[in-house]
Structures are given as structure tokens and as C-alpha cells.
Amino acid sequence: QVQVVESGGALVQAGESLTLLCRVSGLDFRSFGLGWFRQSPGKGREGLSSISGGGSKTSYADSVKGRFTISRDNAENTVYLHMNSLKPEDTAMYYCAVHNSWYSSLNTYEYLYWGQGTQVTVST
């Protein structure tokens, strides 16, 4: 049984940094791409960043490019989202997901398994 568990969400002030973690179990971790998404109340789920199975290919949404960095540790079955210069508009529930292949993308429909999310709130 595949499990995807996010952690690290918190209440922070604008300009601060935060790192989210996602641990995946129940599959061959290094064979799958991974992605981070977020969703605010009343909005659709937004793809933020993705990373391929080997970690060599990454992609970012324009809204977070230059501020967020994705990385993975295949020995620990964990993917990270390092977030810098946080803004109030970054407030959302953040989700980690497992892609349907070694590759990755920002398209939600290409992801097979999702976590329950971790809340990030950025105050002014």
C-alpha cells in the first residue's frame, strides 16, 4: 500500500523560509517522479514544482521560480520543498504527489498518489 505523508507546514511571517518534507512508502521510490502542489480555498490545485526519479530534472511554476527549490533523497524516500521569501499569497494547503512514471510534470492528472497535505500560512 502506497503512503504519502507530508510534514513541515507552519505559520510563518512574510519573508521567512520554510522546508516541507514528504515521505513515500510502498513503492520503488527512485523509479517515480514527484511533485509539489498547493490549493487555497476557492481555487484549483496549482502545480508548483516537480522532480524526476533520479533527481536530474526539475521544473517550477512561474509563481515560485527563484524562491522555491525541490530536492529528493532516494535513500530516505523523501522529497523536500525548500521555500524562501514567503509571501501571504503562498498561504495554502501543500500537497505532495507521486507521478505515474520516472518523469515528472506540473499536471495534476499525471499523478497517481497524493498525500493529505500540510498547511502553510504566511502572515504579513
Side-chain angles (χ1 to χ4, degrees):
Q1 180 179 354
V2 178
Q3 289 190 318
V4 181
V5 181
E6 305 95 335
S7 63
L11 170 62
V12 298
Q13 292 190 330
E16 292 185 341
S17 299
L18 193 64
T19 295
L20 304 182
L21 295 79
C22 172
R23 186 167 179 86
V24 181
S25 60
L27 48 71
D28 183 14
F29 184 77
R30 66 188 66 223
S31 294
F32 293 90
L34 301 161
W36 283 99
F37 300 79
R38 70 185 177 191
Q39 188 166 17
S40 307
K43 295 187 178 180
R45 192 162 293 190
E46 175 189 11
L48 301 177
S49 183
S50 66
I51 187 167
S52 60
S56 60
K57 297 186 184 301
T58 59
S59 62
Y60 296 93
D62 289 342
S63 59
V64 303
K65 198 172 295 183
R67 298 190 299 124
F68 291 10
T69 303
I70 192 170
S71 63
R72 63 188 294 162
D73 183 341
N74 285 347
E76 296 293 328
N77 285 19
T78 301
V79 60
Y80 303 90
L81 186 67
H82 309 278
M83 306 184 294
N84 295 321
S85 302
L86 283 163
K87 307 174 183 179
E89 51 263 45
D90 293 318
T91 295
M93 184 70 77
Y94 283 68
Y95 298 91
C96 171
V98 180
H99 196 263
N100 61 16
S101 76
W102 185 87
Y103 299 98
S104 62
S105 76
L106 300 182
N107 300 315
T108 57
Y109 59 83
E110 295 182 24
Y111 286 79
L112 294 173
Y113 305 104
W114 293 81
Q116 293 300 306
T118 187
Q119 178 68 38
V120 174
T121 302
V122 184
S123 64
T124 55

